Amino acid sequence: MTFELVPRERRVLAPGAVHVPDWLDLDQQRALVRACRQWASEGPGIRAAVLPNGGQMTVRSVCLGWHWYPYRYSRTRDDQDGSPVTPFPEWLGDLGRNALADAYGDPERGSAYRPDIALINHYGPDARMGLHRDSDERAPDPVVSFSIGAPCVFRLGNTENRGRPWTDVELLSGDLVVFGDESRLAYHGVPKLLPAHGVPDTGLAAGRLNITLRVSGLNRPGAPAAK
């Protein structure tokens, strides 16, 4: 593992959006890589989702708890073989609660966090994620995002459109980003990966893993039925 000459400090990117460098230790990263490899091999496996316009996303993804495909959630893999989605594990929820409590400095809020969705994206060398909003959920709870593997540029924009202003931040393996409150519906994306120099030995052969935890709100009273 490389050591920073100047330690990276946690940073508030926007109201409700916090970047915490090196939040996951190496053992945690390795455990997540092993778990993601297992989830990606279950059922029909990891896939690149197809957009309504026929285009295909450049990242490959697998889902836990609720299966996401553009732009809806289902309990079954409707754009694959229709099999049930892999359940969301409680230990991953515990990790998300600890992350939220640390990022916001609020243990009580962290303990109340109940994510029931994990979206796991694998970025190859040429993959990217265009600016988008995580707006398919029916709950306002924050998104917790873990990065493992190759570094990337993470772009956090505004809540109105895909244009400026935005903030670019370099995410390294083990970094945490939490965005909620005023930034919950901010446009965000990954315009590019960066050269993978000094990446720790996480067990990930290449590329970048991004694990995002969300609260669906789909089981709450009054929530519209999932498709």
Side-chain angles (χ1 to χ4, degrees):
M1 178 181 294
T2 60
F3 295 91
E4 299 290 329
L5 294 177
V6 179
R8 298 180 300 144
E9 301 292 336
R10 70 171 57 212
R11 178 182 175 190
V12 175
L13 305 177
V18 182
H19 169 219
V20 185
D22 304 314
W23 192 84
L24 293 168
D25 65 30
L26 187 54
D27 285 343
Q28 290 173 312
Q29 293 177 60
R30 287 172 172 166
L32 283 168
V33 169
R34 289 193 297 270
C36 288
R37 185 172 288 119
Q38 174 63 38
W39 294 324
S41 68
E42 294 174 354
I46 195 167
R47 93 307 189 204
V50 177
L51 300 171
N53 64 7
Q56 192 170 47
M57 296 180 68
T58 57
V59 301
R60 298 186 303 149
S61 62
V62 64
C63 310
L64 310 177
W66 289 88
H67 182 74
W68 180 86
Y69 61 105
Y71 293 96
R72 68 198 74 182
Y73 283 109
S74 174
R75 286 295 197 187
T76 52
R77 299 178 175 103
D78 294 352
D79 61 340
Q80 293 182 279
D81 64 354
S83 61
V85 67
T86 298
F88 183 94
E90 187 64 22
W91 65 263
L92 191 56
D94 290 339
L95 189 67
R97 283 183 277 278
N98 292 336
L100 184 65
D102 191 1
Y104 284 166
D106 189 340
E108 188 171 324
R109 188 174 183 187
S111 66
Y113 186 56
R114 290 291 181 272
D116 59 342
I117 300 169
L119 264 60
I120 300 154
N121 289 324
H122 179 260
Y123 290 72
D126 298 321
R128 63 177 185 171
M129 183 74 72
L131 286 174
H132 65 284
R133 298 197 299 175
D134 294 343
S135 58
D136 296 321
E137 300 77 33
R138 297 295 180 263
D141 304 71
V143 173
V144 171
S145 174
F146 302 112
S147 292
I148 299 175
C152 75
V153 174
F154 174 71
R155 178 166 292 169
L156 182 72
N158 63 84
T159 58
E160 302 301 321
N161 55 58
R162 292 180 175 83
R164 295 180 182 273
W166 61 55
T167 298
D168 284 352
V169 59
E170 182 178 305
L171 298 183
L172 303 185
S173 193
D175 284 8
L176 163 70
V177 173
V178 175
F179 55 98
D181 301 337
E182 299 96 324
S183 294
R184 175 58 181 81
L185 293 178
Y187 285 91
H188 59 282
V190 174
K192 63 179 178 178
L193 296 192
L194 298 171
H197 301 312
V199 176
D201 180 12
T202 65
L204 183 65
R208 171 182 182 255
L209 275 179
N210 178 224
I211 304 163
T212 64
L213 311 185
R214 301 114 182 266
V215 178
S216 72
L218 295 171
N219 290 326
R220 295 178 178 178
K227 298 180 181 179

